[in-house]
Amino acid sequence: MGKLIKILLPLIAILLFLSIYLIFSYADVEKSMLEVQKIFYLHVSAAMTVYLAFGVNFIFSIKYLVKRKSNDDLLAASAAEIGLVFCTIVLLSGPIWAKYAWNTWWTWEARLTSTLVLWLMYIGYFILRNALLADNRKTFSAVLGIIAFINVPIVHYATMFWETKLHPERGTKLEVLPTIRNTWMFVLLTFIILFVILLVLQYQTKKTESRYEAIRRKHLQEFS
Amino acid sequence: MRIVIVVSCVIVLVLLFLTMQVPEISEDKIKQAINDGQSVSEVKDEDQQALQDAVKKIVEQLESNQRTRLKYLVAAYLVIWLVFMLYLLRIGKQQQTLDQRLAQIELDDSDNHDKSVE
C-alpha cells in the first residue's frame, strides 16, 4: 500500500500540473461564459467523482452486510468521507458559477437541492457512525450508506424528473469544442486517480485507528 | 503529506500567476484601433474625439468585465484548493495523533512487562 502511494503521489502531482496547463492554455475559451466556464472542469469532474465515491461506499456497504468483514466497513466509510469532500467542492464552486451565470448564489432548483440533500445525508452517515458503538456502528452505517446512495441517481436525473431551465436537461446535444471536451476528460481522469489516492490514505488512517481501538480495549480489559 | 501540500501550493501559485497574465489593452493598441476605425469608416475630424472616447469606454468596460470574470474564476479555484488542503491536513493530523497514541501504548506495554519481570 505504501509503495503504491509513493508511485501515485508524484503521478497525481504531474497530472494536476498538466490539468491546470490544459485548462488555461490548451482549452478554448467558451463563447457564452468566457473565462468563468473554466470552473466547469473542476466542478463537473468533482460531481462525477462524488458519484464514484458514493458508489464505492454503496458496494462496500453491501459487501459488509453480506460478509461482515471490518475492512469493507472501513473502505465504505473512507469512500463516503472522500465523497463528502468532493460534494462540498461541488456545493461551494457551484454558487460561484451560479452568481455569474444566473445572477444568484443559490436557487432551489432540482439538481442543486438534490445535491444538498445528498450532502446532508452523508453528513448524517458520519453523525450516525460517531454516535454508535463498534458493532452497531458498522451495520447501521452500512444500511444508511445503501439508503443514501438512492439519492445519487436522483441527483443525476434531477433535470429530467423536474422541469428546470438552469442545468441542461439530460440528453441535450451540446456542441462542445474538442479542446474543451479533451481537457474535461483529462481533469476527470486526474480526479479519479486523486480519489483512489485519498481512498488509500484514508483507509490506512482508519485501519490504524481501528488497530488502536482494539489495543486500547484489550488494555482496558486487562486492567479491569 | 508535506510534499503533497507543497506541490499543491505551487499549483495554486502557478494558477494565480496564469490568471494575472491576462494582457491589458495598451494605449498604443487603443490608438491603433481608433486610427483603423477612422480609416475604414471615414469619420469626420470633428467626430474624432467622440470616437476616441467611445472606444476608450468600450475597452474599459471590456477590461472591467474580464476582471469580474477572473475574480469568480480565482475564487472558485481557491475554494476548491482550500477544501483539499484542509482535508489533507486533517488526514495528516489524524495519522500523526494515532501514531503517537500507538507508540505510547507500546511504551506502556514494555514498562508493564519490565515490572512483571522484576
Side-chain angles (χ1 to χ4, degrees), chain A residues 9 13 16 20 23-24 34-35 38 42 81-82 85 92 96 99-100 194 202 205 208 212 215 219, chain B residues 4 7 10-11 15 66 69 72-73 76-77 79-80 83-84 87-88 90-91 95 98 101-102 105 109:
Chain A
L9 276 179
L16 283 171
I20 286 174
I23 290 170
F24 288 97
L34 298 166
E35 291 90 348
K38 291 188 187 292
L42 301 191
E81 196 171 314
I82 300 157
V85 172
L92 290 176
I96 298 171
K99 181 67 184 159
Y100 182 77
L194 182 65
Q202 188 57 255
T205 309
T208 317
Y212 168 74
I215 295 170
H219 267 244
Chain B
V4 178
V7 166
V10 172
I11 290 172
L15 181 71
Q66 194 177 37
R69 287 195 299 274
Y72 284 113
L73 183 67
Y77 275 70
V79 161
I80 292 167
V83 172
F84 273 132
Y87 183 62
L88 282 176
R90 188 181 162 273
I91 295 180
Q95 188 70 48
L98 283 168
R101 283 178 181 172
L102 277 171
I105 280 185
D109 263 354

Side-chain angles (χ1 to χ4, degrees), chain A residues 147-162:
Chain A
I147 294 168
F149 185 74
I150 296 167
N151 205 16
V152 170
I154 294 175
V155 172
H156 193 66
Y157 293 105
T159 50
M160 226 168 75
F161 297 148
W162 295 279

Side-chain angles (χ1 to χ4, degrees), chain B residues 10-117:
Chain B
V10 172
I11 290 172
V12 169
L13 287 176
V14 168
L15 181 71
L16 288 175
F17 177 75
L18 282 170
T19 52
M20 300 299 169
Q21 295 307 301
V22 179
E24 285 204 1
I25 303 168
S26 64
E27 283 289 322
D28 293 341
K29 281 190 177 171
I30 295 170
K31 275 180 189 162
Q32 182 67 43
I34 293 165
N35 289 336
D36 291 349
Q38 280 172 342
S39 59
V40 171
S41 59
E42 293 168 1
V43 180
K44 289 173 195 165
D45 285 348
E46 57 265 34
D47 293 337
Q48 275 191 13
Q49 192 55 44
L51 179 69
Q52 279 188 10
D53 291 345
V55 171
K56 273 187 181 168
K57 230 176 203 174
I58 290 166
V59 169
E60 273 170 19
Q61 186 62 47
L62 285 171
E63 282 181 351
S64 156
N65 289 347
Q66 194 177 37
R67 267 195 293 276
T68 310
R69 287 195 299 274
L70 287 176
K71 270 180 203 164
Y72 284 113
L73 183 67
V74 171
Y77 275 70
L78 277 180
V79 161
I80 292 167
W81 174 74
L82 205 66
V83 172
F84 273 132
M85 278 310 95
L86 288 174
Y87 183 62
L88 282 176
L89 285 173
R90 188 181 162 273
I91 295 180
K93 187 112 176 120
Q94 222 175 353
Q95 188 70 48
Q96 205 181 357
T97 312
L98 283 168
D99 286 343
Q100 279 171 358
R101 283 178 181 172
L102 277 171
Q104 185 62 46
I105 280 185
E106 275 163 15
L107 200 74
D108 291 348
D109 263 354
S110 61
D111 283 353
N112 287 340
H113 180 74
D114 291 346
K115 276 178 191 169
S116 64
V117 168

Side-chain angles (χ1 to χ4, degrees), chain A residues 56-57 94 150 155 169 190:
Chain A
V56 171
N57 170 268
I150 296 167
V155 172
E169 201 177 311
T190 306

